[in-house]
Amino acid sequence: MSQFMDEIRNFSDFTTRAVVLEGAAAIGLSFLLSLIITFLYKKTHKSGRYSQSFVHTIIIMSSVVAIIMIVIGNNIAVAFGLVGAFSIIRFRSAMSDPKDIAFIFFGMAAGIACGLGFYMLAVMFTIVLSILIYILFAFDYGGIKGSYKSLKITIPENMHYENVFDDIFEEYLEYHQLNMVETTNLGTMYQLTYLIAKKETISDKDLMDAIRERNSNLKVAIGMAD
């Protein structure tokens, strides 16, 4: 009987060691693949500004998801329990760029593949999709023709800025996006910062003159996009 119990303990120890090695391999590989994913994210981020915490989140989530998949295994009860546990989590910060969500799923997919033991599939998936994403970025697929610029407009404090320049932008611009609103001049004015792409026949002076007629001839500045 004691010999039988010893064999059970030895088998249990072997199983534990196997799970630990599997977990270490999944964490290590998912970490390396998420580094590739976040490097691609930084290289293809057009505005040049990205959150360091978001980059770290992709890396952390990839490794965490890999371990979750190992823990779940084929246990349906554990899977439902984890769904209930994670259902209480809420993301309070809104994504400024829809592409950020895609990169989160990219990292999670790599972590899932590592957690399930599909190591070669995870590597191949990460490399191939990274190449495809970089090709889209390099050729600016779906982008607006012409270069992007930064437009800063100063307006009076009592002016409602939400839609005040929409007709001007529609006439002079191919693309515009409001990136920042901040107070200036001791809080008596607002400064709006846009990312814009002008139409081919429009000069900077034409756009600035049209805006100055609307913002009480306050400061308007056009420069290179950050």
Side-chain angles (χ1 to χ4, degrees):
M1 183 68 179
S2 61
Q3 183 179 0
F4 177 70
M5 294 301 296
D6 289 339
E7 289 180 357
I8 292 178
R9 281 194 292 270
N10 291 334
F11 178 77
S12 177
D13 292 340
F14 174 78
T15 304
T16 301
R17 287 196 296 271
V19 172
V20 170
L21 291 176
E22 183 182 1
I27 292 175
L29 184 58
S30 62
F31 180 81
L32 292 176
L33 295 179
S34 61
L35 287 179
I36 296 174
I37 294 170
T38 51
F39 177 78
L40 176 69
Y41 172 78
K42 293 187 293 182
K43 293 291 290 184
T44 59
H45 201 272
K46 284 193 172 182
S47 68
R49 299 179 185 175
Y50 53 83
S51 170
Q52 183 186 41
S53 62
F54 179 76
V55 173
H56 289 178
T57 298
I58 296 177
I59 298 173
I60 294 169
M61 286 188 66
S62 180
S63 299
V64 170
V65 167
I67 292 300
I68 289 175
M69 298 309 299
I70 294 176
V71 171
I72 291 176
N74 295 321
N75 194 323
I76 302 298
V78 174
F80 278 108
L82 286 172
V83 169
F86 283 108
S87 65
I88 65 175
I89 298 176
R90 297 288 186 272
F91 289 98
R92 301 299 182 186
S93 57
M95 294 293 177
S96 58
D97 187 346
K99 193 170 67 174
D100 292 354
I101 301 175
F103 272 94
I104 288 180
F105 280 105
F106 190 1
M108 290 179 62
I112 290 172
C114 292
L116 293 176
F118 299 115
Y119 302 128
M120 289 302 299
L121 176 62
V123 172
M124 182 180 67
F125 161 72
T126 302
I127 292 175
V128 172
L129 187 55
S130 296
I131 292 174
L132 294 176
I133 292 174
Y134 190 79
I135 290 175
L136 293 176
F137 168 76
F139 287 93
D140 195 24
Y141 179 78
I144 305 296
K145 293 182 178 179
S147 58
Y148 291 92
K149 290 188 176 182
S150 174
L151 170 64
K152 295 183 179 181
I153 306 173
T154 301
I155 63 173
E157 183 186 18
N158 59 356
M159 178 177 286
H160 298 287
Y161 56 81
E162 284 84 357
N163 302 309
V164 67
F165 300 111
D166 282 0
D167 56 334
I168 296 176
F169 291 161
E170 184 176 352
E171 180 179 355
Y172 290 89
L173 303 178
E174 291 282 357
Y175 172 84
H176 70 277
Q177 174 182 306
L178 179 61
N179 287 341
M180 184 184 299
V181 180
E182 58 184 329
T183 59
T184 185
N185 197 25
L186 300 178
T188 60
M189 298 179 183
Y190 287 116
Q191 184 178 77
L192 315 178
T193 303
Y194 293 87
L195 180 67
I196 64 168
K198 297 181 301 171
K199 294 182 178 179
E200 294 182 1
T201 58
I202 301 300
S203 67
D204 290 347
K205 184 179 183 304
D206 293 336
L207 177 60
M208 294 174 69
D209 289 343
I211 294 173
R212 287 168 58 199
E213 294 178 1
R214 188 70 54 85
N215 76 331
S216 303
N217 203 28
L218 294 175
K219 182 179 178 181
V220 179
I222 297 178
M224 298 302 297
D226 296 331

